[in-house]
Amino acid sequence: MRSGSFLLIAASLGFLFLYAPILSLVVYSFNDSRLVTVWGGFTTKWYGEVFKDTALVNAALVSLRVALIAATLATILGTIAGFVLSRFGRFRGRLLFTGMVTAPLVMPEVITGLSLLLLFVGLEQATGWPAGRSATTIVIAHTTFCLAYVAVVVQSRLAGFDRSLEEAAMDLGARPLKVFFSVTLPIIAPALISGWLLAFTLSLDDAVIASFVSGPGSTTLPVEILSRVRRGVSPVINALATLIIVVVAAGFLIASLMMIRAERQRRRDEQKALTGK
Amino acid sequence: MSAGDLTGPGAGAAALDPWVQRLAPTLHRLGVSKGAETRGGISLIGLSLAWLVFAVMLFSNKGVGFGTIIYALFGLGLALWMLRVLTDGRRFVIALPMIWLLLFFLAPFLVVFKVSVAEQLIAQPPYSPLFTWAEGKLQITAHLENYQFLLEDRFYIDAYWTSIKIAAISTFLCLLVAYPMAYAIARSSPAWRNTLLMLVILPFWTSFLLRVYAWIGILSNNGVINNFLMWLGVIDQPIVMMQTNFAVYVGIVYSYLPLMILPLYTTLEKLDGTLLEASADLGAGPIRSFLSITLPLSLPGILAGCLLVFIPAVGEYVIPALLGPSDTLMIGRVLWDEFFTGRAWPIASAVAIAMLLFLVAPIMLFRNAQGQTEEGR
């Protein structure tokens, strides 16, 4: 099996490529030397420095607040959008609708950022709202692009489940709203959770759009990090990066395990319901 | 809450329907109302009216009287449309995300276009208005100098060309790295498959910015690679990798790799193994089988993956700003510098519009590819 071993080697190298840089960040965060790439012994002092740095801590708090609100809004709107895409069939403006849901997935960030900023400036001129750039404008911007991701996640989940359950509920006399809340929503709940988590991390991660739409006093963590890393490598940023990676990886693993378990449970339940045992 | 359930205020809106029905053939010919019931026409007209008015409102830079009329018209259009929407549950559900996206995704492009034909001023905001209200007349002043400037200055054309070239090469390299990985995951045992997929997705969830930043420590003159090679004694002078196009390629391939692997995996996973067995039985070697079966069948995944990487890579800012050279600029960085450093909002807008015009075709292609995988499910 020559092709088999080729695949194995290629895939291993690929995974090495994916993880080596992350590993190097983690290793160098414990490096006791200002010259980040020269090993000067083991230390954990940079982690202390992260929490002493008020600019970083404040930016992190702004980021968390923005991400919580934006992810929640994006999940609500994105779920509706995903539902409309997979259940409503044809309607007037569907082409426009699908276009507006899929385009943000690939739209270069500089364009999204610039266009939203100019919208906010134009709106402020015409109506007085929003007054200046603030956390609110970042929330609106993040909701808009995260919405698209949630919609795609929800849509693929809806496409994968048996529509007969909804039809059965409808036949039993449930109104559409009731069907949605008591049948559809519980089934797609795992997709909502992963959609929310994805939106949350995307919002926490965005530096470019936030640079355009944030104002003084509403600097988010990535904006702060971007302005620092442009000046070069810093051990404090390495420590911060390690903290973020550990938190994200732990959250991701827990969420994935929970989803796999929920999926198994659902399959068992469906099986039971079908066999009538 | 069905479409036929029109009572109360809905009846008022229904009275406008004959007008809509008269318009319907025209709309049909324009392809606007393809396959939908004519009754809903009012929503389309109400929507377009509201949007036309709203667009004008955004374009106008205030003006006594003018603004009031605009607001009134906008309010009327919106009210008519809301009437229709509120009496129909289905339409109401569609309207929620639709309004959000129209307002915060589509409308901004109109504003960008507006600013791109403005003149740069030293003012707040730093551009001239498109509509002015002088001596009882509405005046439209569009400046095309910005576009002319883009076409005449080699700097911008070079930047566009560099971006497209770099994005295309990185997309191709990304495909080369991703294909064997996706194939290996698709062929692995089901127990491994989920774990491997999770390993691919995990880096995508960790900070993009920090993953790009990690490469500075690896590629710089006293970085991991150079230190290691010098320690081995292979080289005695560091190889310059930072601030070169090579670093940008590495950065793009690395950051976008999960986005390429996932669509490839989706198509490869569905691939029917018996086709490969049949081809082997008929005497085809592995390479021939790959070229005539696996590759053609995975084309939708290749297309989706390539677009998912290529389109954002053209306008990429973070990767060229952190890893790239400072002499050959990519267009995303040019836009950023014009906007933030030069405060040249009209030029930055023209750069964005020109980039969008180039990206419209790939974006449409991407939307169709998404639609196809949707139907394929």
Side-chain angles (χ1 to χ4, degrees):
Chain A
M1 279 304 281
R2 271 195 16 244
S3 65
S5 55
F6 165 74
L7 269 185
L8 193 69
I9 293 167
S12 317
L13 285 178
F15 280 107
L16 186 73
F17 176 60
L18 271 181
Y19 283 91
I22 297 175
L23 201 69
S24 88
L25 270 187
V26 175
V27 169
Y28 280 106
S29 73
F30 294 107
N31 182 12
D32 190 7
S33 160
R34 276 244 159 241
L35 291 164
V36 178
T37 49
V38 181
W39 188 254
F42 181 87
T43 182
T44 51
K45 71 175 174 190
W46 304 118
Y47 289 86
E49 302 261 316
V50 170
F51 292 100
K52 273 186 229 148
D53 194 324
T54 44
L56 278 184
V57 173
N58 286 338
L61 290 177
V62 172
S63 270
L64 280 175
R65 208 163 44 125
V66 166
L68 276 175
I69 304 171
T72 310
L73 278 175
T75 306
I76 295 169
L77 289 168
T79 304
I80 299 173
F83 187 76
V84 166
L85 283 178
S86 70
R87 288 288 186 268
F88 273 27
R90 286 180 168 207
F91 58 88
R92 206 173 291 272
R94 186 183 165 97
L95 199 68
L96 179 70
F97 192 84
T98 50
M100 289 196 301
V101 170
T102 46
L105 298 177
V106 288
M107 190 58 70
E109 288 168 313
V110 282
I111 295 186
T112 314
L114 176 76
S115 65
L116 275 165
L117 172 73
L118 293 181
L119 174 86
F120 292 140
V121 171
L123 267 181
E124 190 184 3
Q125 262 192 309
T127 66
W129 180 92
R133 256 66 63 212
S134 61
T136 315
T137 48
I138 310 177
V139 166
I140 292 174
H142 283 183
T143 305
T144 309
F145 85 90
C146 293
L147 184 168
Y149 284 87
V150 178
V152 169
V153 171
V154 168
Q155 187 194 5
S156 67
R157 176 75 190 180
L158 277 170
F161 98 75
D162 200 350
R163 216 174 158 167
S164 57
L165 289 170
E166 284 165 332
E167 279 159 8
M170 228 101 70
D171 287 346
L172 293 170
R175 294 177 69 79
L177 214 58
K178 170 95 177 154
V179 174
F180 179 76
F181 281 106
S182 54
V183 178
T184 316
L185 207 56
I187 295 177
I188 61 168
L192 295 198
I193 295 169
S194 62
W196 188 90
L197 284 171
L198 185 60
F200 184 74
T201 49
L202 285 171
S203 165
L204 269 187
D205 194 23
D206 163 64
V208 175
I209 297 173
S211 292
F212 279 95
V213 297
S214 69
S218 63
T219 308
T220 61
L221 190 58
V223 173
E224 179 72 26
I225 294 175
L226 181 62
S227 73
R228 288 190 192 203
V229 298
R230 295 176 74 156
R231 298 196 290 265
V233 194
S234 118
V236 181
I237 297 293
N238 281 349
L240 178 69
T242 306
L243 287 175
I244 292 175
I245 289 165
V246 167
V247 170
V248 168
F252 177 77
L253 285 178
I254 293 169
S256 311
L257 289 176
M258 269 167 57
M259 270 173 60
I260 290 170
R261 189 169 294 176
E263 179 72 9
R264 281 201 192 124
Q265 185 64 41
R266 190 182 66 87
R267 286 228 186 100
R268 266 203 297 274
D269 289 350
E270 272 184 16
Q271 207 66 33
K272 265 189 205 161
L274 284 174
T275 52
K277 278 173 194 165
Chain B
M1 293 251 260
S2 67
D5 193 6
L6 283 172
T7 46
L16 280 165
D17 270 4
W19 180 58
V20 172
Q21 266 157 16
R22 223 169 308 142
L23 268 173
T26 327
L27 292 172
H28 262 293
R29 222 168 298 131
L30 292 168
V32 176
S33 57
K34 211 161 63 189
E37 77 279 28
T38 28
R39 288 184 69 101
I42 187 77
S43 76
L44 182 82
I45 290 162
L47 189 70
S48 357
L49 185 74
W51 274 95
L52 196 72
V53 170
F54 185 58
V56 174
M57 190 183 86
L58 285 180
F59 279 107
S60 72
N61 288 35
K62 274 187 199 158
V64 194
F66 187 56
T68 327
I69 301 165
I70 295 296
Y71 278 120
L73 276 174
F74 176 57
L76 190 73
L78 195 69
L80 264 178
W81 186 57
M82 286 302 283
L83 211 65
R84 235 0 235 216
V85 158
L86 285 172
T87 50
D88 182 347
R90 189 180 136 99
R91 202 165 279 141
F92 181 69
V93 168
I94 299 174
L96 283 175
M98 189 81 144
I99 291 176
W100 182 283
L101 287 167
L102 283 172
L103 193 59
F104 296 120
F105 185 71
L106 207 61
F109 293 126
L110 290 178
V111 188
V112 175
F113 181 70
K114 172 204 158 187
V115 177
S116 79
V117 292
E119 192 182 19
Q120 189 170 352
L121 296 176
I122 300 172
Q124 184 61 270
Y127 54 84
S128 65
L130 180 62
F131 295 100
T132 39
W133 189 250
E135 296 156 21
K137 269 184 270 176
L138 176 68
Q139 291 179 330
I140 303 173
T141 331
H143 299 260
L144 294 175
E145 295 98 83
N146 299 317
Y147 289 97
Q148 204 183 344
F149 188 56
L150 289 193
L151 285 174
E152 279 168 4
D153 198 328
R154 284 298 302 173
F155 174 73
Y156 295 101
I157 296 172
D158 284 348
Y160 276 110
W161 177 234
T162 310
S163 310
I164 292 163
K165 201 178 66 184
I166 290 182
I169 294 173
S170 324
T171 307
F172 181 68
L173 293 175
C174 203
L175 181 66
L176 285 188
V177 178
Y179 205 99
M181 291 179 77
Y183 196 83
I185 299 171
R187 296 290 112 188
S188 63
S189 67
W192 270 95
R193 209 176 289 169
N194 275 335
T195 318
L196 291 176
L197 267 184
M198 265 167 61
L199 281 175
V200 168
I201 302 168
L202 182 60
F204 179 68
W205 285 59
T206 54
S207 172
F208 168 78
L209 180 60
L210 292 172
R211 283 186 296 135
V212 176
Y213 162 75
W215 281 99
I216 302 179
I218 295 174
L219 296 176
S220 59
N221 282 354
N222 55 358
V224 178
I225 293 180
N226 275 320
N227 279 352
F228 182 68
L229 289 179
M230 291 213 279
W231 177 76
L232 279 181
V234 181
I235 49 169
D236 33 71
Q237 284 293 315
I239 308 168
V240 178
M241 288 178 284
M242 269 297 287
Q243 301 194 324
T244 61
N245 282 340
F246 169 75
V248 179
Y249 294 139
V250 171
I252 295 177
V253 172
Y254 177 68
S255 315
Y256 289 97
L257 193 58
L259 291 178
M260 181 68 96
I261 294 178
L262 293 176
L264 283 177
Y265 166 78
T266 317
T267 49
L268 287 171
E269 189 225 357
K270 280 188 291 201
L271 192 82
D272 189 354
T274 55
L275 288 175
L276 291 175
E277 282 168 25
S279 126
D281 287 347
L282 293 170
I287 295 174
R288 199 192 143 102
S289 292
F290 175 79
L291 288 179
S292 54
I293 295 175
T294 314
L295 199 62
L297 283 175
S298 59
L299 272 180
I302 295 178
L303 185 69
C306 285
L307 292 170
L308 217 46
V309 175
F310 178 76
I311 304 169
V314 169
E316 183 54 54
Y317 169 73
V318 172
I319 298 171
L322 292 186
L323 306 174
S326 43
D327 48 347
T328 52
L329 292 184
M330 281 180 77
I331 201 67
R333 199 167 160 190
V334 169
L335 192 158
W336 178 287
D337 290 345
E338 292 289 0
F339 185 84
F340 285 103
T341 319
R343 255 184 96 74
W345 290 20
I347 290 280
S349 304
V351 168
I353 292 288
M355 199 194 316
L356 262 183
L357 283 182
F358 174 75
L359 291 178
V360 160
I363 289 174
M364 298 280 276
L365 207 62
F366 174 68
R367 203 202 68 84
N368 289 343
Q370 283 279 100
Q372 270 169 20
T373 50
E374 214 177 280
E375 279 157 28
R377 280 204 189 98

